[in-house]
Amino acid sequence: MNRRNWLKKSAGGTMTLAFSSYIPHVLYNERYKIPGEDSYLRLHWNENPYGASPMALDAVRKILPTANHYPDDKIEELTSALSENFGLSDDEVMITAGSTEILSLLGQKVGLENKDVLMSQQSFPTLAIFAERCNAKIKTIPTSSDERIDLDGILDGIDGRTGLIFICNPNNPTSTDLKKEDLVSFINSVPDNITICVDEAYIQYSRSGEKGSLVALLADHKNLLICRTFSKAYGLAGMRIGFALGSKELINQLKMHHLGFGMANSRIAVTAALASLQDDAHLDMVVQKNEKGRQIVYDAFNRWDVHYATSATNFIYARSDRFVSEVRERLQKDKILITKWPSMTEHIRISIGKPEWMEKFVFVLKKYVI
């Protein structure tokens, strides 16, 4: 399929997506129906409550006078910084508008290649949404009893139509992560003709941190693509900046169809990302305070006998049977926002804010315990 036809079909798929029933419920939730949302306790979008690095904010202020310049030089600089950081070459890195953009590109690609997606039943839906809009079938495997992605089940689910396997690790919304050795064994067991996308959006919050990443496997697995974002631990969700790591061949396939010819990111966002990479102290602070906020909720849930998954992220996935049936709606009236996707029939998801936010959350939530 040539570039013109791919773009034409991709645009059509994206337009159809705007009317998909997934969008209001899964991606946007009820965000735009809430007046004065900034006055609410935002525990629904897994945002970093501490914001961007001071170094990033300072760099943004300094770059603003050159906002009239195209971002290509800064994108090249960020690409080189990332390739050096991960021990890759520049042509194994792709800068995107958050990890969402690369997931949408992958979803469209597998659909237009007339292949199907294989993934966990309870996982981040963006890739599947775009793939389905491009006529791919989505085959899902239930999570295990401890809310983890069932790698053996996914391996058993591979068939002749499988074109892409999606693994979100740590997983959203279940908050759990997988042991690196289990993932390595899994990657080694997948046929080379099947693309494997591992979304590591929350890797900094996980038990092993960067040591749990699969970047080291890229050299021997040309079918592996790793997605990263600056939205979570780096606090740049509003700037829409992320990146993909993979073989030169796989990156080139995606770059050919990258809208904006690789210059869709703003000069300001790329500059903020570059500066964020230099501020390890801010990143460490974010992760440490996240653990404190998380423990406040754990302690309350333990007292109330609420079952929850041990989180490797900046959110908690908990069973909702110990709360009133409309707990999300009740909390919203109290100006506290949490998440309950339609697929989460027996669970709720709570983003971790500052410790004082979580103290307030626990205080208010207590009246909805049954």
Side-chain angles (χ1 to χ4, degrees), residues 81-128:
L82 290 168
S83 63
E84 181 178 354
N85 185 55
F86 290 108
L88 303 172
S89 62
D90 285 5
D91 52 17
E92 293 174 309
V93 179
M94 179 179 177
I95 308 301
T96 59
S99 55
T100 301
E101 185 177 33
I102 192 65
L103 294 176
S104 68
L105 280 172
L106 281 168
Q108 293 172 66
K109 178 179 179 292
V110 71
L112 295 169
E113 290 175 345
N114 195 32
K115 292 290 186 177
D116 296 340
V117 174
L118 180 59
M119 61 184 287
S120 182
Q121 192 173 66
Q122 195 67 279
S123 197
F124 193 60
T126 294
L127 189 151

Side-chain angles (χ1 to χ4, degrees), residues 28-43:
Y28 293 137
N29 207 344
E30 293 186 345
R31 185 181 196 285
Y32 298 107
K33 297 180 182 179
I34 304 170
E37 187 187 339
D38 288 344
S39 65
Y40 284 62
L41 212 56
R42 297 171 59 89
L43 306 181

